[in-house]
Amino acid sequence: MLPLNATIVQINEESPLVRTFFFDFQFETMEPGQFVMVWVRGVDEVPMGLSSKNSITVQKVGEATSKLFELKEGDSFGLRGPFGKGFSLPSEGEKTLIIAGGVGAAPLAPYAEAARSAGSEVHTVLGARSAGDLLFEKRFAEAGKVYISTDDGSKGTKGFVTDVLTDLDLSVYDRIAVCGPEIMISSVFRLLKDRQVLEKSEFSLQRYFKCGIGVCGACCIDKSGLRVCRDGPVFSGVQLLDSELGKYARDASGRRVKI
Ligand SMILES: Cc1cc2nc3c(=O)[nH]c(=O)nc-3n(C[C@H](O)[C@H](O)[C@H](O)COP(=O)(O)OP(=O)(O)OC[C@H]3O[C@@H](n4cnc5c(N)ncnc54)[C@H](O)[C@@H]3O)c2cc1C
Ligand code: FES
């Protein structure tokens, strides 16, 4: 698949290190949780979740994302996708719990909206380092109830999303959707396992991608060999039992890197 040329029509500064780039067409059939391969010309092609049908929300961490931050309205990048398996949508009347940390809120904001439109009651636990880093609080609040945690206590519960989860009755939810930094995902995974709700939980994983379409094997996870780009990036909790989650990932050369 050749990349589509996406012209930037609007840039929102969400926080000092996170920006949303809206482009000039919509991926009408995208499932929340799916990703696109973003071709930053002359630098690299990197995976990004879709934060709406016509946007990506980017945290500046390295070379490609820094180059994206230099782009202005009217500039463009290439897009392939959407690819992969997104979050399962709830049925009418089901209760959905969303657990989002940092830029992990990006693919979960459209999921909250889609779940609400499907007739689900949506609750979100939204975590970030501090109040200024909370992403899409308004979008989650429009979909339902929001619990907030910040590491520094500047808003909501002081601590991590797991501190909020400790006080919630998780048995009332039909579905639980999780995305965030791997350290957060793995502590949420342990908590959900202890509370025996893993079989109704889904987690979005990030690994180093090369092809993005299931061919090269760069993103396979141990021990199952599942490809994050094709079989995921969203996996059920049961699929991740006895996996590398929270222990290590692989770099561009395939070497293990400790999480
Ligand atoms: C399915 C999927 C969906 C993703 N969705 C999003 C999204 O919606 N928004 C978003 O901002 N990012 C997302 N990412 C992560 C994004 O692809 C990487 O942050 C990006 O590839 C980094 O490229 P870079 O060239 O800027 O950094 P590099 O130059 O490759 O790395 C620079 C430094 O940043 C560190 N780094 C690299 N990746 C990450 C990371 N994921 N988290 C923290 N540190 C990292 C590296 O270890 C290195 O030290 C997603 C990844 C996957 C696999
Ligand atoms: S990135 Fe090539 S198989 Fe997943």
Side-chain angles (χ1 to χ4, degrees), residues 35 46-49 57-59 61-65 103 106 205-207 209 233:
F35 68 93
V46 291
M48 291 285 158
T57 297
V58 180
Q59 179 167 29
V61 293
E63 210 187 343
T65 49
V103 79
L205 287 203
Q206 291 190 6
R207 284 295 179 270
F209 283 8

PDB file of all heavy atoms in Angstrom, residues 35 46-49 57-59 61-65 103 106 205-207 209 233, ligand 1:
ATOM      1  N   PHE A  35      -4.003   1.689  14.187  1.00  0.00           N
ATOM      2  CA  PHE A  35      -2.916   2.662  14.034  1.00  0.00           C
ATOM      3  C   PHE A  35      -2.653   2.941  12.562  1.00  0.00           C
ATOM      4  O   PHE A  35      -3.127   2.207  11.684  1.00  0.00           O
ATOM      5  CB  PHE A  35      -1.635   2.125  14.702  1.00  0.00           C
ATOM      6  CG  PHE A  35      -1.052   0.931  13.999  1.00  0.00           C
ATOM      7  CD1 PHE A  35      -0.069   1.074  13.030  1.00  0.00           C
ATOM      8  CD2 PHE A  35      -1.507  -0.351  14.278  1.00  0.00           C
ATOM      9  CE1 PHE A  35       0.451  -0.030  12.359  1.00  0.00           C
ATOM     10  CE2 PHE A  35      -0.997  -1.463  13.613  1.00  0.00           C
ATOM     11  CZ  PHE A  35      -0.011  -1.297  12.653  1.00  0.00           C
ATOM     12  N   VAL A  46       6.821   5.891  11.360  1.00  0.00           N
ATOM     13  CA  VAL A  46       6.561   5.451  12.740  1.00  0.00           C
ATOM     14  C   VAL A  46       5.062   5.197  12.955  1.00  0.00           C
ATOM     15  O   VAL A  46       4.228   5.866  12.349  1.00  0.00           O
ATOM     16  CB  VAL A  46       7.055   6.502  13.773  1.00  0.00           C
ATOM     17  CG1 VAL A  46       8.574   6.577  13.782  1.00  0.00           C
ATOM     18  CG2 VAL A  46       6.440   7.871  13.537  1.00  0.00           C
ATOM     19  N   PRO A  47       4.726   4.214  13.840  1.00  0.00           N
ATOM     20  CA  PRO A  47       3.307   3.939  14.101  1.00  0.00           C
ATOM     21  C   PRO A  47       2.700   4.944  15.076  1.00  0.00           C
ATOM     22  O   PRO A  47       3.351   5.352  16.035  1.00  0.00           O
ATOM     23  CB  PRO A  47       3.338   2.543  14.738  1.00  0.00           C
ATOM     24  CG  PRO A  47       4.695   2.408  15.338  1.00  0.00           C
ATOM     25  CD  PRO A  47       5.621   3.277  14.554  1.00  0.00           C
ATOM     26  N   MET A  48       1.450   5.329  14.810  1.00  0.00           N
ATOM     27  CA  MET A  48       0.696   6.220  15.708  1.00  0.00           C
ATOM     28  C   MET A  48      -0.752   5.763  15.715  1.00  0.00           C
ATOM     29  O   MET A  48      -1.327   5.500  14.651  1.00  0.00           O
ATOM     30  CB  MET A  48       0.705   7.673  15.193  1.00  0.00           C
ATOM     31  CG  MET A  48       2.036   8.369  15.264  1.00  0.00           C
ATOM     32  SD  MET A  48       2.425   8.842  16.962  1.00  0.00           S
ATOM     33  CE  MET A  48       4.206   8.984  16.830  1.00  0.00           C
ATOM     34  N   GLY A  49      -1.363   5.717  16.898  1.00  0.00           N
ATOM     35  CA  GLY A  49      -2.792   5.433  16.982  1.00  0.00           C
ATOM     36  C   GLY A  49      -3.572   6.604  16.397  1.00  0.00           C
ATOM     37  O   GLY A  49      -3.078   7.738  16.379  1.00  0.00           O
ATOM     38  N   THR A  57      -2.224  11.995  17.549  1.00  0.00           N
ATOM     39  CA  THR A  57      -1.792  12.798  18.694  1.00  0.00           C
ATOM     40  C   THR A  57      -0.420  12.297  19.100  1.00  0.00           C
ATOM     41  O   THR A  57      -0.252  11.117  19.420  1.00  0.00           O
ATOM     42  CB  THR A  57      -2.821  12.680  19.834  1.00  0.00           C
ATOM     43  OG1 THR A  57      -4.049  13.231  19.349  1.00  0.00           O
ATOM     44  CG2 THR A  57      -2.376  13.445  21.073  1.00  0.00           C
ATOM     45  N   VAL A  58       0.569  13.189  19.029  1.00  0.00           N
ATOM     46  CA  VAL A  58       1.969  12.772  19.049  1.00  0.00           C
ATOM     47  C   VAL A  58       2.710  13.324  20.265  1.00  0.00           C
ATOM     48  O   VAL A  58       2.665  14.525  20.540  1.00  0.00           O
ATOM     49  CB  VAL A  58       2.680  13.290  17.773  1.00  0.00           C
ATOM     50  CG1 VAL A  58       4.142  12.870  17.752  1.00  0.00           C
ATOM     51  CG2 VAL A  58       1.956  12.801  16.525  1.00  0.00           C
ATOM     52  N   GLN A  59       3.414  12.422  20.971  1.00  0.00           N
ATOM     53  CA  GLN A  59       4.311  12.853  22.045  1.00  0.00           C
ATOM     54  C   GLN A  59       5.720  12.923  21.477  1.00  0.00           C
ATOM     55  O   GLN A  59       6.190  11.990  20.824  1.00  0.00           O
ATOM     56  CB  GLN A  59       4.268  11.848  23.193  1.00  0.00           C
ATOM     57  CG  GLN A  59       5.189  12.232  24.332  1.00  0.00           C
ATOM     58  CD  GLN A  59       4.917  11.412  25.569  1.00  0.00           C
ATOM     59  OE1 GLN A  59       4.473  10.264  25.478  1.00  0.00           O
ATOM     60  NE2 GLN A  59       5.166  11.979  26.720  1.00  0.00           N
ATOM     61  N   VAL A  61       9.326  12.372  21.449  1.00  0.00           N
ATOM     62  CA  VAL A  61      10.294  11.563  22.210  1.00  0.00           C
ATOM     63  C   VAL A  61      11.641  11.439  21.509  1.00  0.00           C
ATOM     64  O   VAL A  61      12.656  11.233  22.160  1.00  0.00           O
ATOM     65  CB  VAL A  61       9.770  10.132  22.525  1.00  0.00           C
ATOM     66  CG1 VAL A  61       8.601  10.149  23.477  1.00  0.00           C
ATOM     67  CG2 VAL A  61       9.428   9.361  21.260  1.00  0.00           C
ATOM     68  N   GLY A  62      11.676  11.522  20.174  1.00  0.00           N
ATOM     69  CA  GLY A  62      12.939  11.283  19.462  1.00  0.00           C
ATOM     70  C   GLY A  62      12.941  11.956  18.106  1.00  0.00           C
ATOM     71  O   GLY A  62      12.276  12.971  17.894  1.00  0.00           O
ATOM     72  N   GLU A  63      13.670  11.327  17.165  1.00  0.00           N
ATOM     73  CA  GLU A  63      13.950  11.978  15.886  1.00  0.00           C
ATOM     74  C   GLU A  63      12.689  12.252  15.049  1.00  0.00           C
ATOM     75  O   GLU A  63      12.436  13.388  14.643  1.00  0.00           O
ATOM     76  CB  GLU A  63      14.901  11.064  15.102  1.00  0.00           C
ATOM     77  CG  GLU A  63      15.813  11.809  14.175  1.00  0.00           C
ATOM     78  CD  GLU A  63      16.613  10.861  13.290  1.00  0.00           C
ATOM     79  OE1 GLU A  63      16.694   9.655  13.602  1.00  0.00           O
ATOM     80  OE2 GLU A  63      17.127  11.352  12.272  1.00  0.00           O
ATOM     81  N   ALA A  64      11.894  11.203  14.803  1.00  0.00           N
ATOM     82  CA  ALA A  64      10.731  11.376  13.912  1.00  0.00           C
ATOM     83  C   ALA A  64       9.683  12.293  14.543  1.00  0.00           C
ATOM     84  O   ALA A  64       9.117  13.166  13.874  1.00  0.00           O
ATOM     85  CB  ALA A  64      10.116  10.017  13.591  1.00  0.00           C
ATOM     86  N   THR A  65       9.436  12.094  15.829  1.00  0.00           N
ATOM     87  CA  THR A  65       8.398  12.908  16.481  1.00  0.00           C
ATOM     88  C   THR A  65       8.864  14.368  16.615  1.00  0.00           C
ATOM     89  O   THR A  65       8.053  15.288  16.513  1.00  0.00           O
ATOM     90  CB  THR A  65       8.017  12.306  17.848  1.00  0.00           C
ATOM     91  OG1 THR A  65       9.202  12.022  18.588  1.00  0.00           O
ATOM     92  CG2 THR A  65       7.217  11.025  17.683  1.00  0.00           C
ATOM     93  N   VAL A 103      -0.068   9.565  26.876  1.00  0.00           N
ATOM     94  CA  VAL A 103      -0.505   9.659  25.475  1.00  0.00           C
ATOM     95  C   VAL A 103      -1.328   8.426  25.067  1.00  0.00           C
ATOM     96  O   VAL A 103      -1.931   8.394  23.992  1.00  0.00           O
ATOM     97  CB  VAL A 103       0.711   9.903  24.548  1.00  0.00           C
ATOM     98  CG1 VAL A 103       1.466   8.614  24.287  1.00  0.00           C
ATOM     99  CG2 VAL A 103       0.307  10.575  23.254  1.00  0.00           C
ATOM    100  N   ALA A 106      -4.808   8.746  23.620  1.00  0.00           N
ATOM    101  CA  ALA A 106      -5.097   9.106  22.217  1.00  0.00           C
ATOM    102  C   ALA A 106      -6.048   8.120  21.527  1.00  0.00           C
ATOM    103  O   ALA A 106      -7.080   8.537  20.996  1.00  0.00           O
ATOM    104  CB  ALA A 106      -3.801   9.271  21.438  1.00  0.00           C
ATOM    105  N   LEU A 205      -0.783  -2.583  23.051  1.00  0.00           N
ATOM    106  CA  LEU A 205       0.674  -2.662  23.259  1.00  0.00           C
ATOM    107  C   LEU A 205       1.444  -1.842  22.238  1.00  0.00           C
ATOM    108  O   LEU A 205       0.982  -1.642  21.114  1.00  0.00           O
ATOM    109  CB  LEU A 205       1.152  -4.112  23.108  1.00  0.00           C
ATOM    110  CG  LEU A 205       0.840  -5.117  24.190  1.00  0.00           C
ATOM    111  CD1 LEU A 205       1.839  -6.259  24.110  1.00  0.00           C
ATOM    112  CD2 LEU A 205       0.883  -4.488  25.560  1.00  0.00           C
ATOM    113  N   GLN A 206       2.646  -1.400  22.622  1.00  0.00           N
ATOM    114  CA  GLN A 206       3.548  -0.725  21.682  1.00  0.00           C
ATOM    115  C   GLN A 206       4.840  -1.520  21.583  1.00  0.00           C
ATOM    116  O   GLN A 206       5.417  -1.885  22.599  1.00  0.00           O
ATOM    117  CB  GLN A 206       3.881   0.683  22.168  1.00  0.00           C
ATOM    118  CG  GLN A 206       2.702   1.621  22.119  1.00  0.00           C
ATOM    119  CD  GLN A 206       3.089   3.073  22.375  1.00  0.00           C
ATOM    120  OE1 GLN A 206       4.264   3.407  22.479  1.00  0.00           O
ATOM    121  NE2 GLN A 206       2.089   3.918  22.475  1.00  0.00           N
ATOM    122  N   ARG A 207       5.261  -1.795  20.363  1.00  0.00           N
ATOM    123  CA  ARG A 207       6.548  -2.440  20.116  1.00  0.00           C
ATOM    124  C   ARG A 207       7.200  -1.746  18.933  1.00  0.00           C
ATOM    125  O   ARG A 207       6.554  -0.952  18.249  1.00  0.00           O
ATOM    126  CB  ARG A 207       6.368  -3.945  19.802  1.00  0.00           C
ATOM    127  CG  ARG A 207       6.079  -4.804  21.046  1.00  0.00           C
ATOM    128  CD  ARG A 207       7.256  -4.803  21.997  1.00  0.00           C
ATOM    129  NE  ARG A 207       7.047  -5.569  23.220  1.00  0.00           N
ATOM    130  CZ  ARG A 207       6.543  -5.080  24.350  1.00  0.00           C
ATOM    131  NH1 ARG A 207       6.131  -3.830  24.409  1.00  0.00           N
ATOM    132  NH2 ARG A 207       6.454  -5.827  25.429  1.00  0.00           N
ATOM    133  N   PHE A 209       8.061  -1.214  15.353  1.00  0.00           N
ATOM    134  CA  PHE A 209       7.464  -1.684  14.098  1.00  0.00           C
ATOM    135  C   PHE A 209       8.394  -1.377  12.934  1.00  0.00           C
ATOM    136  O   PHE A 209       8.987  -0.300  12.875  1.00  0.00           O
ATOM    137  CB  PHE A 209       6.137  -0.945  13.816  1.00  0.00           C
ATOM    138  CG  PHE A 209       4.950  -1.418  14.616  1.00  0.00           C
ATOM    139  CD1 PHE A 209       5.078  -2.330  15.651  1.00  0.00           C
ATOM    140  CD2 PHE A 209       3.678  -0.931  14.328  1.00  0.00           C
ATOM    141  CE1 PHE A 209       3.975  -2.753  16.388  1.00  0.00           C
ATOM    142  CE2 PHE A 209       2.570  -1.350  15.050  1.00  0.00           C
ATOM    143  CZ  PHE A 209       2.712  -2.255  16.081  1.00  0.00           C
ATOM    144  N   PRO A 233      -2.694  -4.023  17.580  1.00  0.00           N
ATOM    145  CA  PRO A 233      -2.003  -3.809  18.855  1.00  0.00           C
ATOM    146  C   PRO A 233      -2.868  -4.066  20.086  1.00  0.00           C
ATOM    147  O   PRO A 233      -2.360  -4.070  21.193  1.00  0.00           O
ATOM    148  CB  PRO A 233      -1.586  -2.331  18.791  1.00  0.00           C
ATOM    149  CG  PRO A 233      -2.567  -1.691  17.872  1.00  0.00           C
ATOM    150  CD  PRO A 233      -2.936  -2.744  16.865  1.00  0.00           C
TER     151      PRO A 233
HETATM  152  C1  LIG B   1       0.643   0.634  17.727  1.00  0.00           C
HETATM  153  C2  LIG B   1       1.360   1.859  18.218  1.00  0.00           C
HETATM  154  C3  LIG B   1       0.645   3.022  18.428  1.00  0.00           C
HETATM  155  C4  LIG B   1       1.312   4.172  18.872  1.00  0.00           C
HETATM  156  N1  LIG B   1       0.573   5.302  19.069  1.00  0.00           N
HETATM  157  C5  LIG B   1       1.191   6.427  19.470  1.00  0.00           C
HETATM  158  C6  LIG B   1       0.431   7.625  19.638  1.00  0.00           C
HETATM  159  O1  LIG B   1      -0.794   7.670  19.436  1.00  0.00           O
HETATM  160  N2  LIG B   1       1.104   8.731  20.025  1.00  0.00           N
HETATM  161  C7  LIG B   1       2.468   8.712  20.257  1.00  0.00           C
HETATM  162  O2  LIG B   1       3.026   9.761  20.591  1.00  0.00           O
HETATM  163  N3  LIG B   1       3.200   7.590  20.120  1.00  0.00           N
HETATM  164  C8  LIG B   1       2.599   6.453  19.724  1.00  0.00           C
HETATM  165  N4  LIG B   1       3.344   5.315  19.545  1.00  0.00           N
HETATM  166  C9  LIG B   1       4.796   5.359  19.828  1.00  0.00           C
HETATM  167  C10 LIG B   1       5.545   5.982  18.655  1.00  0.00           C
HETATM  168  O3  LIG B   1       5.497   5.116  17.546  1.00  0.00           O
HETATM  169  C11 LIG B   1       7.005   6.234  19.074  1.00  0.00           C
HETATM  170  O4  LIG B   1       7.034   7.175  20.109  1.00  0.00           O
HETATM  171  C12 LIG B   1       7.804   6.751  17.891  1.00  0.00           C
HETATM  172  O5  LIG B   1       8.028   5.707  16.981  1.00  0.00           O
HETATM  173  C13 LIG B   1       9.134   7.316  18.354  1.00  0.00           C
HETATM  174  O6  LIG B   1       9.848   7.705  17.194  1.00  0.00           O
HETATM  175  P1  LIG B   1      11.043   8.753  17.292  1.00  0.00           P
HETATM  176  O7  LIG B   1      11.837   8.631  16.033  1.00  0.00           O
HETATM  177  O8  LIG B   1      10.528  10.102  17.634  1.00  0.00           O
HETATM  178  O9  LIG B   1      11.856   8.248  18.541  1.00  0.00           O
HETATM  179  P2  LIG B   1      13.206   7.389  18.482  1.00  0.00           P
HETATM  180  O10 LIG B   1      14.299   8.259  17.918  1.00  0.00           O
HETATM  181  O11 LIG B   1      12.910   6.082  17.828  1.00  0.00           O
HETATM  182  O12 LIG B   1      13.449   7.174  20.008  1.00  0.00           O
HETATM  183  C14 LIG B   1      13.997   8.232  20.788  1.00  0.00           C
HETATM  184  C15 LIG B   1      13.924   7.899  22.216  1.00  0.00           C
HETATM  185  O13 LIG B   1      12.556   7.780  22.598  1.00  0.00           O
HETATM  186  C16 LIG B   1      12.345   6.525  23.170  1.00  0.00           C
HETATM  187  N5  LIG B   1      11.072   6.029  22.723  1.00  0.00           N
HETATM  188  C17 LIG B   1      10.807   5.470  21.527  1.00  0.00           C
HETATM  189  N6  LIG B   1       9.544   5.062  21.491  1.00  0.00           N
HETATM  190  C18 LIG B   1       9.010   5.386  22.691  1.00  0.00           C
HETATM  191  C19 LIG B   1       7.756   5.206  23.280  1.00  0.00           C
HETATM  192  N7  LIG B   1       6.783   4.579  22.627  1.00  0.00           N
HETATM  193  N8  LIG B   1       7.544   5.666  24.528  1.00  0.00           N
HETATM  194  C20 LIG B   1       8.518   6.283  25.198  1.00  0.00           C
HETATM  195  N9  LIG B   1       9.742   6.466  24.708  1.00  0.00           N
HETATM  196  C21 LIG B   1       9.988   6.015  23.486  1.00  0.00           C
HETATM  197  C22 LIG B   1      13.454   5.625  22.662  1.00  0.00           C
HETATM  198  O14 LIG B   1      13.732   4.595  23.615  1.00  0.00           O
HETATM  199  C23 LIG B   1      14.605   6.573  22.539  1.00  0.00           C
HETATM  200  O15 LIG B   1      15.286   6.721  23.760  1.00  0.00           O
HETATM  201  C24 LIG B   1       2.714   4.148  19.115  1.00  0.00           C
HETATM  202  C25 LIG B   1       3.436   2.970  18.904  1.00  0.00           C
HETATM  203  C26 LIG B   1       2.769   1.832  18.463  1.00  0.00           C
HETATM  204  C27 LIG B   1       3.538   0.582  18.232  1.00  0.00           C
END
